[in-house]
Amino acid sequence: MARIGFERLAHGYGTGGYALKPMDMVWEDAGAYALLGPSGCGKTTLLNIVSGLLRPSEGRVVFDGAEVTDLPPERRNVAQVFQFPVVYDTMTVRENLAFPLRNRGVPAKAANARVEHVAALLGLTAMLDRRARNLGADDKQKISLGRGLVRDDVAVILFDEPLTVIDPHLKWELRSRLKELHRQVPVTMIYVTHDQTEALTFADRVVVMSEGEVVQVGTPEALFDRPAHTFVGHFIGSPGMNLLPCAVAGREAVLEGGARIALPRAYPALAGKVELGIRPEFATLAREGLPVSLRRVEDLGRRRIARVELAGRPFAATLPEGMPVPAEPCLALDLARLHVYADGRLAEGEA
Amino acid sequence: MSLRLDGLGLSAGGQAVLHPVTVELPPGLPNVLLGPTGAGKTTLLRLLAGLDRPTEGRIFAEGTEVTGLPPRRRSVAMVYQQFINYPSFTVYENIASPLRVARLPKAEIEARVQEAARLLRLGPYLQRRPLELSGGQQQRTAIARALVKRAALVLMDEPLANLDYKLREELREELPKLFAESGTVFVYATTEPAEALLLGGRVATLSEGRVTQFGMAGEVFRHPADLATARVFSDPPLNEAPARVQGGRVLLAGEVALPVAVSGLPEGPCTIGIRAHQLSLEPLPGAVPLAAEVRVAEVTGSESYVHLDVGGMNWVVLAPGVRRPEPHEAATVWLDPRRCLVFGADGRLAAEAALAEAA
Amino acid sequence: MAKPRDDRAWLLVLPVLALVAFSALIPVMTVVNYSVQDTFGNNQFFWNGTAWFKELLDPSTDLGGRFFDALWRTLLFSGLCLLIEIPLGIAVALCLPRKGWGVAASLVTLALPLLIPWNVVGTIWQVFARGDIGLLGAAVNGLGIDYNYARDPLAAWITVVAMDVWHWTSLVVLLCYAGLRAIPDAYYQAAKVDGAGAWAVFRAIQLPKMQRVLTIAVLLRFMDSFMIYTEPFVVTGGGPGNATTFLSIDLVKIALGQFDLGKAAAMSIVYNLIILTVCWVFYATTTRGQSEASR
């Protein structure tokens, strides 16, 4: 078990550029964290710093108050599950699971008991004596995970996009099992992904990263309800948050076309690029409201998304269940859910 | 043009790899092959491309048989899951390569490349090399190269699988526009039900080497013809329960009767299927309550997937709002019979969800 | 279903068939022809049936005894070469750098012996190992060890084996290196996190992942060493006595030295069949193991 701290941590590439910009953060013991962001945002760099595969160029990494910045992976009590399943081909499932224990000189009897226990947790008991090479990708990922869980000293389990090569149906199975497992085995879990659904459903707290910087840390609902940055608004949600350039004065926003929208809070004078943000979930197509022109309707099976144009910009809205497409479509906005952003950052208003 | 498959099938060593399929693939809308890994999507694509020879059936392009023709002599282009470009060529040269092979006049090549680059928003990157681009741009280059040939048939094998989630979203939105603007037949293989719906065309669902249904995506999603189709076309997975028909009624385990009309279904075992978003944790008028135990809950921000153990079956319910019930907590799930699909012992759909249209 | 066929494609294969006929089929048939006949020169041939084969495979005859002696020598030579070159090749491949300028430098250096013509290799070692003027021979003698490959059978064997190791270990190294490079980084990272030491990494990851290239390396090295001729012929000429007279050298002695074309032909056919059989058995057992494992 471990509480992980980063103190003035940064990683630079010789030329002065940062792959990871300086940050301070603490991850609580036994928490489920997700690092979410597009390729190249620095999430894998951060993961490798936690595991010890990469030494940060600045700052310290602290596990439970003890500095581990210079310790190699094998001395950090971390386990890792990779994007492509890593199993030891020539070994059986049992030998694979026992491998980390054998390397640490655990007696065979104790090791076997641990292996049986972990196999039961992961539903691998029936295949313990089969060769690992012949199994499907999902079972191989379970083995990778099992090699981490089998050590009773393991403090952190790291997941590097572990579901990439898994079929959608098996993803559900594996993900929920992972989540159940986290309830039973109190270790810190860190899950790196570019897939918001995976990040939000897995983690208690999601760390959203962009261009080497942490832009927001929060619960799934906080990221959904109050994105601190337009990047978070866009990145979380499918489709992401609608952002409309506007001018804000007090309790009113004026869109480019001149349309006026009442705001739930009063805002001071804002500098820079001012945008109004609203999620498609809170903008529904209706018979009255802001007139828009309809471009296209996407049928997602369990809901429909109306792609419309508002003030000359594309805008995604919800077409309510059972409602026929209106002849003169308008937008009804849930005003309480509107947010104002100045230069990309959430502007705080006064109620 | 349009493409017609007439009893097209492939078997190897006496075993059917792809069961015979007869469908007509029109241009304009994408034709999506939906199924898990190993269902036969790539097999079918390879037959369409002419890379493999079918062991039975025929393929007609615009009424002309093309079954035995090698890929070179068919008008076909392919996009793969991996970003396949010539690394030493610039983006422009990559897109132009099939036209140069075809020895088109320079002016024509220039015009077509610029057109494809505009459609795929590659204009600013034409002089760069593929490896200097992001994954999304690399895959756009590969797609542009497939489009520029103006092939009668463009095959895409999970083209977005290796891209970031948000990039996928972007391209999913752009692709249907490209499809609509050309007279080409597009065949698009994917494992993801959501992608099949978003592309907004026809869907052929595949399961264990068999095309189980072919039709408009929304139609197939709401009215699956059999259990295999419903399973393939559900994300999260379809919630299922074994049941039996007795005295014209459907009985779930524990003698819970479902008021569903099942005329024509013989007495005996059947299967109930219902999707996650059609179940409820709150009482619904006309719904049947079932006792359950919480396994785990996943919160997406605005909704929650609650995984339940319902009498030994693993079910998942999509509930609005944020819910974090504790594991092993008792729960009640409400099953609306009008949203249930009833499948006979042979897997065929016996009773339709009456409210399928509504959601 | 009617498959449209284009049989004209076969025409394209004709030139290759003709070439193979001239380069392989006709010579082989000539050898087969010789093996069942006897000649006393003057281009006169007599039918001899399977007599040469019977004599060859009977160790109590003069020809048979000589054949089996040479066969054991050759097998011993191949065995020694494999035993040294394969482990040594793996070890060197493991020590090579994985990135940086060192990669190109070491690969080029390693490839050098492979580029030298075989008779030149023989000549180099003949001089190199000479007790009077050769760097190696003189140095060893200078240490007080009596070493003369022209007189002492053991010294001759050591010289010939050392020469083969020097010449061909690089090939094993290059093959193994290619196999090692194909292992994704994630495997090493996983092993690190699992606390595996260098030996465990070798046993659990590197060796299994090198299995395919090692099969090729063993096959190539067996075939080449089993057929070795030029280098030992240049260095020892098969001596001292018959100590390093391998099958190929003996074959040439019989065919060209004594002009016993029939015996030599029968011997080359058996020689060839041995190589084919050994390779086939080896290949069949290793690949069956692999296909079973991947089922």
Side-chain angles (χ1 to χ4, degrees):
Chain A
M1 275 166 263
R3 182 173 189 266
I4 303 171
F6 304 111
E7 297 171 4
R8 298 307 303 156
L9 184 86
H11 191 69
Y13 292 130
T15 51
Y18 277 115
L20 194 63
K21 291 179 188 157
M23 57 176 261
D24 281 282
M25 212 186 312
V26 173
W27 292 346
E28 292 305 329
D29 179 28
Y33 289 86
L35 299 180
L36 175 67
S39 329
C41 71
K43 57 189 194 295
T44 303
T45 307
L46 184 53
L47 188 78
N48 287 340
I49 287 173
V50 176
S51 71
L53 291 169
L54 190 68
R55 197 201 172 284
S57 61
E58 297 166 28
R60 297 174 358 124
V61 184
V62 179
F63 281 16
D64 282 333
E67 179 168 357
V68 296
T69 320
D70 289 316
L71 288 188
E74 61 272 22
R75 292 183 50 202
R76 286 195 185 191
N77 298 339
V78 293
Q80 190 160 358
V81 178
F82 295 87
Q83 186 172 4
F84 295 99
V86 173
V87 295
Y88 302 110
D89 287 345
T90 49
M91 301 184 193
T92 62
V93 175
R94 186 189 298 279
E95 289 165 337
N96 258 282
L97 292 178
F99 190 66
L101 300 179
R102 228 176 53 199
N103 290 329
R104 288 171 173 77
V106 176
K109 205 170 163 197
N112 205 38
R114 281 297 296 174
V115 167
E116 298 275 352
H117 173 66
V118 167
L121 273 181
L122 290 167
L124 288 172
T125 309
M127 53 184 82
L128 268 178
D129 292 307
R130 284 176 57 187
R131 260 187 193 243
R133 168 182 345 199
N134 311 338
L135 301 174
D138 54 323
D139 287 329
K140 286 186 177 177
Q141 282 303 50
K142 283 188 197 165
I143 295 174
S144 310
L145 173 58
R147 283 204 313 268
L149 289 174
V150 79
R151 290 157 44 195
D152 47 13
D153 63 340
V154 81
V156 189
I157 301 182
L158 308 168
F159 299 88
D160 191 359
E161 312 210 357
L163 300 183
T164 307
V165 294
I166 312 286
D167 265 14
H169 282 68
L170 295 170
K171 265 183 197 174
W172 284 91
E173 207 257 341
L174 210 56
R175 218 175 57 203
S176 60
R177 197 180 272 275
L178 203 59
K179 187 112 185 165
E180 271 181 289
L181 206 69
H182 184 245
R183 296 285 188 147
Q184 295 167 21
V185 189
V187 301
T188 312
M189 290 192 180
I190 300 167
Y191 190 112
V192 164
T193 180
H194 61 80
D195 186 321
Q196 45 148 334
T197 314
E198 282 178 32
L200 297 173
T201 51
F202 171 78
D204 303 331
R205 297 184 83 77
V206 179
V207 179
V208 185
M209 298 183 68
S210 169
E211 292 171 7
E213 207 170 348
V214 173
V215 282
Q216 190 172 0
V217 183
T219 60
E221 47 281 33
L223 296 179
F224 185 83
D225 290 336
R226 269 177 67 84
H229 196 280
T230 49
F231 175 82
V232 179
H234 162 75
F235 203 80
I236 302 239
S238 180
M241 183 180 251
N242 295 298
L243 292 162
L244 297 166
C246 65
V248 167
R251 286 182 176 270
E252 193 175 59
V254 184
L255 299 184
E256 282 172 325
R260 287 165 190 279
I261 295 174
L263 297 174
R265 292 166 286 269
Y267 290 87
L270 295 170
K273 184 181 170 196
V274 180
E275 286 165 295
L276 190 64
I278 182 146
R279 292 206 173 271
E281 285 81 352
F282 307 128
T284 44
L285 223 53
R287 289 197 176 73
E288 36 200 69
L290 280 172
V292 290
S293 50
L294 185 67
R295 288 275 166 273
R296 201 171 71 250
V297 174
E298 286 171 3
D299 181 359
L300 304 191
R302 64 179 180 83
R303 60 190 184 123
R304 290 178 298 170
I305 303 287
R307 299 282 181 175
V308 301
E309 208 174 284
L310 174 63
R313 295 193 176 258
F315 191 97
T318 302
L319 187 56
E321 203 175 299
M323 179 182 176
V325 178
E328 284 176 9
C330 293
L331 268 188
L333 304 178
D334 182 348
L335 295 179
R337 307 287 201 148
L338 289 177
H339 292 294
V340 172
Y341 294 88
D343 276 339
R345 300 199 176 274
L346 182 68
E348 298 291 342
E350 285 162 31
Chain B
M1 82 141 223
S2 77
L3 200 69
R4 188 156 62 83
L5 318 184
D6 187 359
L8 192 73
L10 181 75
S11 43
Q15 287 216 313
V17 181
L18 182 72
H19 292 269
V21 51
T22 301
V23 288
E24 174 119 23
L25 307 175
L29 292 174
N31 301 283
V32 179
L33 308 179
L34 174 68
T37 306
K41 303 185 301 290
T42 305
T43 309
L44 185 49
L45 284 182
R46 288 180 62 89
L47 290 177
L48 294 180
L51 291 167
D52 290 328
R53 209 181 264 265
T55 46
E56 57 189 303
R58 298 187 290 176
I59 306 174
F60 296 92
E62 200 77 79
T64 314
E65 180 166 3
V66 296
T67 317
L69 290 185
R72 192 168 46 79
R73 291 177 52 198
R74 299 182 186 200
S75 181
V76 56
M78 202 148 176
V79 178
Y80 299 87
Q81 183 178 342
Q82 294 82 13
F83 319 135
I84 299 179
N85 293 302
Y86 301 106
S88 60
F89 286 9
T90 62
V91 170
Y92 184 96
E93 289 164 338
N94 261 289
I95 302 175
S97 60
L99 305 178
R100 289 189 176 160
V101 170
R103 295 178 191 282
L104 258 60
K106 259 211 155 102
E108 169 84 17
I109 294 181
E110 171 74 20
R112 285 213 207 168
V113 173
Q114 293 296 350
E115 160 84 8
R118 186 184 59 77
L119 277 176
L120 287 153
R121 296 194 279 128
L122 284 167
Y125 314 109
L126 281 175
Q127 293 317 314
R128 301 232 199 128
R129 279 174 220 287
L131 294 180
E132 298 164 13
L133 303 177
S134 72
Q137 291 158 346
Q138 287 184 43
Q139 192 63 324
R140 281 206 189 103
T141 306
I143 295 173
R145 201 175 58 234
L147 289 179
V148 81
K149 268 171 90 175
R150 302 207 181 137
L153 175 63
V154 173
L155 305 171
M156 301 189 165
D157 195 358
E158 301 187 39
L160 307 186
N162 282 358
L163 293 177
D164 268 14
Y165 191 81
K166 273 284 151 178
L167 278 172
R168 252 186 250 176
E169 241 176 56
E170 242 173 65
L171 275 171
R172 271 178 195 156
E173 223 183 293
E174 290 168 18
L175 286 175
K177 294 180 206 158
L178 295 178
F179 297 154
E181 285 173 23
S182 69
T184 299
V185 176
F186 286 92
V187 182
Y188 186 110
T190 181
T191 57
E192 294 186 34
E195 193 159 276
L197 283 162
L198 262 170
L199 290 170
R202 290 176 181 76
V203 170
T205 44
L206 281 108
S207 172
E208 294 172 359
R210 199 184 294 274
V211 172
T212 57
Q213 196 172 350
F214 181 66
M216 290 302 292
E219 188 68 17
V220 176
F221 180 79
R222 293 191 177 84
H223 308 286
D226 55 22
L227 186 55
T229 307
R231 280 181 183 156
V232 166
F233 215 153
S234 295
D235 187 46
L238 185 72
N239 298 309
E240 295 174 35
R244 66 196 150 85
V245 181
Q246 196 177 331
R249 294 185 315 166
V250 175
L251 288 182
L252 282 173
E255 304 300 305
V256 179
L258 279 184
V260 194
V262 284
S263 52
L265 201 64
E267 303 263 307
C270 65
T271 305
I272 303 290
I274 186 162
R275 293 199 170 98
H277 68 279
Q278 296 175 321
L279 287 169
S280 172
L281 296 176
E282 268 82 52
L284 286 178
V288 177
L290 296 174
E293 189 185 299
V294 174
R295 277 180 55 217
V296 71
E298 300 176 310
V299 177
T300 69
S302 57
E303 297 168 314
S304 309
Y305 291 105
V306 183
H307 295 255
L308 298 171
D309 180 333
V310 185
M313 298 167 297
N314 281 339
W315 279 19
V316 53
V317 179
L318 176 62
V322 172
R323 288 157 192 267
R324 289 209 171 84
E326 282 301 308
H328 307 299
E329 205 172 278
T332 307
V333 57
W334 295 81
L335 181 64
D336 185 343
R338 293 169 303 163
R339 295 173 192 263
C340 283
L341 302 160
V342 182
F343 302 96
D346 58 354
R348 307 293 306 169
L349 184 69
E352 281 241 33
L355 284 183
E357 280 312 328
Chain C
M1 189 208 77
K3 291 182 187 173
R5 273 184 173 277
D6 194 347
D7 291 327
R8 278 172 305 176
W10 286 105
L11 291 176
L12 299 175
V13 188
L14 273 184
V16 178
L17 283 179
L19 207 71
V20 170
F22 270 101
S23 68
L25 216 55
I26 293 174
V28 166
M29 288 326 289
T30 316
V31 171
V32 171
N33 188 32
Y34 281 148
S35 73
V36 293
Q37 303 197 53
D38 197 359
T39 176
F40 304 107
N42 301 338
N43 238 352
Q44 284 177 305
F45 288 91
F46 308 93
W47 176 254
N48 199 22
T50 55
W52 292 136
F53 290 97
K54 283 181 184 149
E55 196 181 332
L56 187 72
L57 296 177
D58 181 357
S60 63
T61 64
D62 187 33
L63 179 65
R66 165 174 185 176
F67 169 73
F68 279 101
D69 283 349
L71 178 61
W72 298 137
R73 273 196 290 274
T74 314
L75 281 173
L76 179 66
F77 178 72
S78 283
L80 282 175
C81 287
L82 287 178
L83 226 54
I84 299 174
E85 287 169 22
I86 299 293
L88 185 62
I90 294 173
V92 174
L94 288 173
C95 297
L96 288 184
R98 265 193 270 162
K99 52 187 171 200
W101 59 270
V103 176
S106 37
L107 290 185
V108 169
T109 315
L110 277 168
L112 278 179
L114 300 174
L115 302 174
I116 301 173
W118 297 353
N119 56 341
V120 178
V121 172
T123 314
I124 290 174
W125 276 80
Q126 194 205 14
V127 176
F128 185 49
R130 268 178 69 158
D132 46 0
I133 56 168
L135 189 61
L136 176 71
V140 173
N141 280 322
L143 289 173
I145 302 163
D146 185 28
Y147 167 81
N148 185 336
Y149 64 82
R151 206 175 51 217
D152 174 15
L154 182 64
W157 267 87
I158 290 173
T159 312
V160 178
V161 171
M163 175 173 63
D164 197 80
V165 168
W166 176 81
H167 194 180
W168 289 113
T169 303
S170 301
L171 180 73
V172 182
V173 175
L174 294 182
L175 283 170
C176 291
Y177 187 67
L180 286 173
R181 282 289 290 262
I183 302 174
D185 238 11
Y187 277 84
Y188 292 112
Q189 297 183 2
K192 232 186 211 179
V193 171
D194 285 340
W199 174 246
V201 169
F202 176 70
R203 286 278 301 131
I205 300 171
Q206 290 167 327
L207 198 57
K209 295 277 175 199
M210 275 196 294
Q211 199 185 346
R212 272 161 210 278
V213 289
L214 278 178
T215 307
I216 297 170
V218 169
L219 269 181
L220 284 178
R221 282 317 301 134
F222 170 75
M223 285 193 289
D224 273 350
S225 61
F226 200 71
M227 295 188 296
I228 193 164
Y229 175 76
T230 319
E231 300 99 309
F233 181 76
V234 172
V235 178
T236 64
N242 279 332
T244 55
T245 300
F246 302 122
L247 269 179
S248 57
I249 295 179
D250 206 25
L251 185 62
V252 173
K253 277 185 187 167
I254 296 173
L256 302 178
Q258 303 163 215
F259 213 68
D260 275 330
L261 284 186
K263 291 179 186 176
M267 194 165 156
S268 23
I269 287 171
V270 174
Y271 191 2
N272 211 331
L273 286 178
I274 293 173
I275 295 176
L276 278 180
T277 315
V278 173
C279 289
W280 179 76
V281 168
F282 179 76
Y283 187 78
T285 45
T286 50
T287 49
R288 195 186 53 203
Q290 281 170 11
S291 66
E292 253 174 21
S294 63
R295 213 187 316 142

